[in-house]
Amino acid sequence: MPVSRSTATHHFHVLREAGLIRQYCVGTSRMNALRREEVEAAFPGLLRALVGGAAGG
């Protein structure tokens, strides 16, 4: 990632606290996953709009 490790850690912390991602360990690595169902329930259509906007559509 093009940011420092401390900045990435801070951003992932904020996303976890907001309930947007979950974090789990694989060996010595920490992985992050979008909590898609929870985000969709709280903000219906948001993810589709973001993906559609990023795709230019």
Side-chain angles (χ1 to χ4, degrees), residues 13-32:
H13 174 78
V14 170
L15 293 171
R16 275 194 322 275
E17 291 295 312
L20 296 175
I21 64 171
R22 65 180 175 89
Q23 192 173 65
Y24 59 97
C25 294
V26 175
T28 59
S29 298
R30 288 191 179 145
M31 308 302 286
N32 295 290

Side-chain angles (χ1 to χ4, degrees), residues 30-52:
R30 288 191 179 145
M31 308 302 286
N32 295 290
L34 178 64
R35 297 177 67 180
R36 188 176 313 256
E37 293 80 18
E38 291 89 342
V39 173
E40 186 61 31
F43 307 102
L46 176 64
L47 295 175
R48 187 177 5 213
L50 291 173
V51 172

